[in-house]
Amino acid sequence: MPRKSTVSTPGRSLVTRRAVVDIVRAATLGSYGVVSLTGGGPLGWLAERLGLAPRGINVDLQDDLTIELDLVVGHGLPIAEVARQVDSAVRYAIRQALGRDVDRLTIHVGGLRVVPFETVDSRPAARAGGKDAIAPDDLAASGTDVA
C-alpha cells in the first residue's frame, strides 16, 4: 500500500480583486448599523452595474492589502461603534478567507439614513384594544430593569 506524504509543499494561491470585494461587501453589509454602501455618484452606480467597479468599496492589492469603505449608517446609531464593528468584521473575514491581515482599512461615513420599521402591533387583541393589549407603562410596571 502506498504511503501518504506528510511533507507540505510550499505554493502560492491567487485571489482576484473581485473575490476580496465580495468578502468585504458581505462582512460590511452584515455589520450592525450599516444601511448601505455609497460612493461614486451616478458614475459609480453605472460602473457597478456594468461590473467595472464596486460602489463604496475600494480594494488595492498592489503592495499591501488596503481597503477603503464608504458607508451609510442608520440614523441615531453611534457612528464610532458602527465603524468599530465594520472594522472588526472586515478584518476577521479577510483573515479567515485569505489567511492574511489587512494592512490598512479606512472607513468613511458618507451619510445617515432613517431606517423605517414597523411600530404597529399586529396582534388582533392589541389592535382592538382588548384585555391583552399592551399598555405604554407595562414594562415599567413589570419591575424589569431596562438599560
Side-chain angles (χ1 to χ4, degrees), residues 50-67:
L50 295 174
L52 300 175
R55 197 170 111 177
I57 301 174
N58 185 13
V59 174
D60 183 16
L61 298 170
Q62 295 300 333
D63 297 324
D64 297 331
L65 177 55
T66 303
I67 300 169

Side-chain angles (χ1 to χ4, degrees), residues 89-104:
V90 168
R91 288 179 188 278
Y92 178 79
I94 292 294
R95 192 176 306 117
Q96 291 295 354
L98 305 180
R100 69 172 290 186
D101 290 326
V102 175
D103 296 307
R104 182 172 173 217

